[in-house]
Amino acid sequence: METTIYQSVPPQLIPALEAALLKHEEAVAKLADFKKQYTSVKNKAKRAEKYIANLEEEEGRRLHEITMTQTVQYAENKFILINKKLNRFKEQDEKSLRRTFKQLKGTTPLEPHTAEWHIQGLTYHTSNLNDMLREVADMLRIAKGHLRKIDDMKKSIARYRKLRKPL
C-alpha cells in the first residue's frame, strides 16, 4: 500500500490510514463485483423481454405473456430501486470522499486530530458503502428470483411444446 502520497498525515497515524485504505479498497472491489453481477442480471431481463415478444401464437400464449411480463416488471422495479440507491450514494458520499482524499493527499501537514477526523471519515464512507452494498445485493437477489421464475416458465413451455408435437 502506497502511503507516501499522503504527505499531510502525521507519521503516528499512518497505520490507521493504511487500515482504512485497505478496507476502502476491499469495499470498492466489492462494488465492482456487484456492478458486474447487476449488469448480468439486467441483460438477463432484456433477454427475457425478447423471449416474451417472440412467443409463438398458441392457446396459452396470452397467459404466459401476461405472467412473464409482470414478473419481468417486478425485476425491473428492483433495478429502479438499485439505481436510486447507487445514484444517491454516488451523489452524497462520493463528494465527501473526494474532499477527504484531497485533504489527506495535500502537501500542508494536518494537525493529528484533523488527520484522524479525515481517516474516520474514510472509515465511515467505507462502512456506508458496505451497508449500501448489502441492501442492493439483497434487492438483486430478489430480482434474480423473479427472473428464475421466467426461466422455469420457459422450461415448462418447452416441455409443453415437446409433448404437443406429433411423432
Side-chain angles (χ1 to χ4, degrees):
M1 174 132 348
E2 186 65 37
T3 56
T4 57
I5 59 175
Y6 300 100
Q7 298 171 1
S8 64
V9 179
Q12 67 269 23
L13 293 176
I14 293 293
L17 176 63
E18 287 176 341
L21 288 173
L22 183 64
K23 287 181 182 178
H24 177 69
E25 286 178 6
E26 290 172 0
V28 169
K30 286 181 192 175
L31 180 62
D33 288 342
F34 172 78
K35 286 184 177 181
K36 286 179 187 176
Q37 290 177 353
Y38 180 51
T39 302
S40 172
V41 173
K42 283 178 76 172
N43 289 338
K44 187 174 184 177
K46 288 178 186 175
R47 288 191 302 271
E49 287 176 337
K50 286 181 184 177
Y51 176 81
I52 294 168
N54 293 330
L55 275 176
E56 293 178 11
E57 286 294 328
E58 52 188 62
E59 53 206 47
R61 178 180 183 262
R62 288 194 55 80
L63 175 65
H64 286 299
E65 183 178 13
I66 291 169
T67 306
M68 289 177 150
T69 303
Q70 287 175 343
T71 305
V72 169
Q73 187 60 46
Y74 295 150
E76 288 177 353
N77 289 344
K78 290 299 177 186
F79 297 155
I80 291 169
L81 291 174
I82 290 170
N83 285 335
K84 283 182 180 180
K85 288 267 186 194
L86 291 173
N87 289 338
R88 187 178 307 133
F89 181 80
K90 187 175 183 178
E91 289 172 1
Q92 293 174 354
D93 286 357
E94 292 291 324
K95 288 179 184 177
S96 65
L97 181 68
R98 280 194 297 269
R99 279 187 253 131
T100 296
F101 275 125
K102 186 177 180 180
Q103 288 292 319
L104 291 172
K105 290 179 181 180
T107 56
T108 309
L110 294 174
E111 293 181 22
H113 62 61
T114 305
E116 188 175 344
W117 184 81
H118 284 297
I119 292 170
Q120 287 173 351
L122 177 61
T123 303
Y124 177 74
H125 169 76
T126 302
S127 175
N128 282 349
L129 178 59
N130 285 328
D131 290 344
M132 187 263 313
L133 280 173
R134 274 191 290 280
E135 289 179 28
V136 294
D138 191 44
M139 290 179 206
L140 188 63
R141 179 189 56 78
I142 293 168
K144 282 181 182 179
H146 290 305
L147 295 176
R148 206 171 300 119
K149 289 177 188 175
I150 290 185
D151 289 341
D152 293 343
M153 286 184 224
K154 285 181 187 179
K155 289 176 186 174
S156 69
I157 289 171
R159 281 193 301 260
Y160 176 72
R161 285 180 182 160
K162 193 182 275 186
L163 291 174
R164 244 179 116 206
K165 275 187 178 177
L167 296 174

